[in-house]
Amino acid sequence: MSAGNVLYDHPGPRARIRNAVLSVVFGVGLVALLWWIYRKFDQAGQWEANLWKPFTDSATWTQFILPGLTQTLLAAGTGMVLSLTFGIVFAVARLSDRWWIRVPAGAVVEFFRAVPLLLMIFFIFYGVPFLIQGPVSAFWAVVTGLTLYNGSVLAEAFRAGIRSIPGGQAEAAYAVGMRKSQVMQLILVPQAARAMLPVIVSQLVVLLKDTALGYIVAFPELLQRGVNDLSANYGNVVAAAMVVAVIYIVINSLLTTLANWLDRRTGRRGVRIPKQTAPDSTPAGGALVAEPQG
């Protein structure tokens, strides 16, 4: 029996009729809302051709939108890699048996989770130069802020994922002679990453959108270049915001599609233990089984 059958009962005849009626009502309401929004924008003259004409000009894309999109993707990609690394390292540190590792790691995670990201970017760009006696670029101010905040959130996600794994797996791994580092690397972290994949993807989507906060330090990302700078030149702020919103939706949809593909791909493969680790105690299927004691 699949998990879907356990957690979800197939609707009966009445439930199907009720669901169909609710779907129709919701669909009609959504169409009515969209029509109302369209009419309000039309009355305000937001659909006039002169406001949308700049988007048919290649210079609009090459001078404003594409440079901003490039900076957004570069900052988001760098921040994702660093945030995932930060999250894994501090999740493992918070689960350490040594208090002098566990306590400072917990303090770091809780501190950066509590500080607003906008304030963090502002301080890194304007405050850190007084400490290092040198300037901090807008790019690294944004990336560092994204890494510290989102990495702290991901650290808690990884920690929750590791704790959700049945303790018998770690006990079986220790029983066949694996060290704690091997248990974390080969058994717990891969399973935690897969179990928490929806949370991880959601946080990475948040990270991508949070690059827009770089406006506070004049970072030339998509929102700054594609909305603020573009509308300042053409006076079409609503049209520019709509185009940029569509670009964000497309990018986030692609990120979600990639995550679903990774979920399906990793679902077909289990965690395999190297043969040299436990040649006599690991069954052919790759599952860890603790040998009975005594």
Side-chain angles (χ1 to χ4, degrees), residues 29-245:
L30 180 61
V31 171
L33 176 62
L34 293 176
W35 174 252
W36 178 77
I37 294 174
Y38 171 82
R39 291 292 299 169
K40 288 297 183 180
F41 280 173
D42 185 54
Q43 293 174 6
Q46 291 297 328
W47 304 123
E48 295 180 2
N50 63 307
L51 296 178
W52 296 87
K53 185 178 179 181
F55 297 102
T56 63
D57 186 3
S58 61
T60 300
W61 295 86
T62 57
Q63 295 179 13
F64 294 99
I65 296 179
L66 291 181
L69 178 60
T70 301
Q71 290 298 312
T72 291
L73 294 179
L74 183 60
T78 307
M80 288 177 185
V81 173
L82 296 178
S83 295
L84 288 170
T85 304
F86 183 100
I88 293 174
V89 170
F90 277 83
V92 174
R94 293 203 67 179
L95 295 172
S96 175
D97 296 331
R98 299 175 176 85
W99 69 267
W100 49 271
I101 296 178
R102 182 177 64 254
V103 173
V108 169
V109 169
E110 294 300 328
F111 175 80
F112 288 117
R113 285 178 63 201
V115 177
L117 177 57
L118 190 63
L119 180 61
M120 199 179 305
I121 294 174
F122 185 87
F123 176 78
I124 293 172
F125 186 76
Y126 292 105
V128 171
F130 290 103
L131 302 177
I132 64 175
Q133 297 300 310
V136 176
S137 66
F139 174 83
W140 283 111
V142 173
V143 169
T144 304
L146 293 173
T147 298
L148 295 176
Y149 176 76
N150 293 281
S152 298
V153 176
L154 289 173
E156 289 298 282
F158 280 119
R159 187 166 72 101
I162 291 173
R163 284 188 167 180
S164 68
I165 299 172
Q169 296 196 26
E171 294 173 1
Y174 291 131
V176 298
M178 296 180 66
R179 298 187 301 273
K180 184 170 183 177
S181 60
Q182 292 177 309
V183 174
M184 281 289 183
Q185 179 183 356
L186 301 175
I187 306 297
L188 300 181
V189 171
Q191 293 188 75
R194 184 173 183 272
M196 304 303 293
L197 189 59
V199 177
I200 295 171
V201 173
S202 298
Q203 195 60 39
L204 294 182
V205 169
V206 171
L207 186 152
L208 175 64
K209 294 186 294 184
D210 282 346
T211 56
L213 296 177
Y215 80 89
I216 195 174
V217 293
F219 178 59
E221 41 76 40
L222 180 59
L223 190 63
Q224 176 69 28
R225 296 291 294 155
V227 178
N228 296 341
D229 295 347
L230 181 61
S231 61
N233 286 271
Y234 296 101
N236 56 349
V237 61
V238 174
M242 289 183 179
V243 171
V244 169

